[in-house]
Amino acid sequence: MKLWTAAVAPNPRRVAIFLAEKGVEVPTVGIDLAKKENYEPDFLAKNPLGRVPVLEFDDGFCLAESMAICRYFEESHPEPPLFGVDARDRATVEMWNRRMEFEIMLNMTGCFRHTHPYWEGRIEQVAAYGELCRMTAADRMKWLDGELAEREYIAGAAFTVADITAICGFGIGRVAKIRIPEELAHLTRWNQTVSERPSVAATAPSPRKG
Ligand SMILES: N[C@@H](CCC(=O)N[C@@H](CS)C(=O)NCC(=O)O)C(=O)O
């Protein structure tokens, strides 16, 4: 088994944090997105969408989508549980993870992709869309701050995959110069607590790398 991944990129980072939390080690192969290695025929044969991460099994089967990969490791290595512990809890984690994907990560990556020089000449950048994502992200941070007044982590009292998705969203947002405003005390507290976890600290993107 091997994991096709890319340094810094937020979706591979979700899997890297998840594996570190589980204490699972999987051999990795780095793909250089800047050199467009993800669009070379060998990689497109693994994922025709040209996206990382991809988990390649020994029989050649390739599993893409970071949450599908995390789900595989949740089933194969149940401890510690990161997708919830019973029917209601698992559904609650699912709800929050999807919210973190659609409300946080999508806006952070949208801003990064459409405003950051890293993507110049690589994709068709629509600056106005990037700025809309920045504004929406600001609104969603206020919303999340209110939610976090009620509990320690995104989905409840325990650290889950929803926290992983959110912290990876905030990480790439920082590269696009989206900062959590200090007055959002609950979100700031959550960000500090989660950022100090070894799995998160070890995979943090540097703003210079893009
Ligand atoms: N929904 C996919 C998204 C994967 C994705 O967008 N990966 C990015 C890196 S974070 C990528 O491979 N980008 C390459 C490109 O757009 O050229 C997942 O959750 O794994």
Side-chain angles (χ1 to χ4, degrees), residues 20-108:
E21 291 286 338
K22 292 274 181 190
V24 175
E25 285 184 22
V26 178
T28 57
V29 189
I31 285 284
D32 190 334
L33 299 180
K35 290 188 183 154
K36 298 194 172 183
E37 287 176 356
N38 50 320
Y39 293 113
E40 287 176 9
D42 282 358
F43 187 76
L44 288 176
K46 301 179 197 307
N47 181 4
L49 288 174
R51 299 284 165 95
V52 282
V54 171
L55 182 65
E56 183 172 0
F57 289 76
D58 292 343
D59 64 0
F61 173 69
C62 287
L63 184 67
E65 294 299 328
S66 39
M67 284 303 96
I69 295 169
C70 290
R71 173 62 68 185
Y72 172 78
F73 287 110
E74 181 79 357
E75 302 294 328
S76 59
H77 297 78
E79 295 297 329
L82 294 171
F83 275 92
V85 293
D86 60 23
R88 184 164 132 172
D89 192 40
R90 278 195 281 273
T92 304
V93 171
E94 178 77 28
M95 174 180 82
W96 281 106
N97 190 49
R98 289 183 73 79
R99 284 178 166 176
M100 291 307 101
E101 288 187 316
F102 287 108
E103 307 299 338
I104 300 296
M105 203 176 208
L106 203 66
N107 286 306
M108 301 294 182

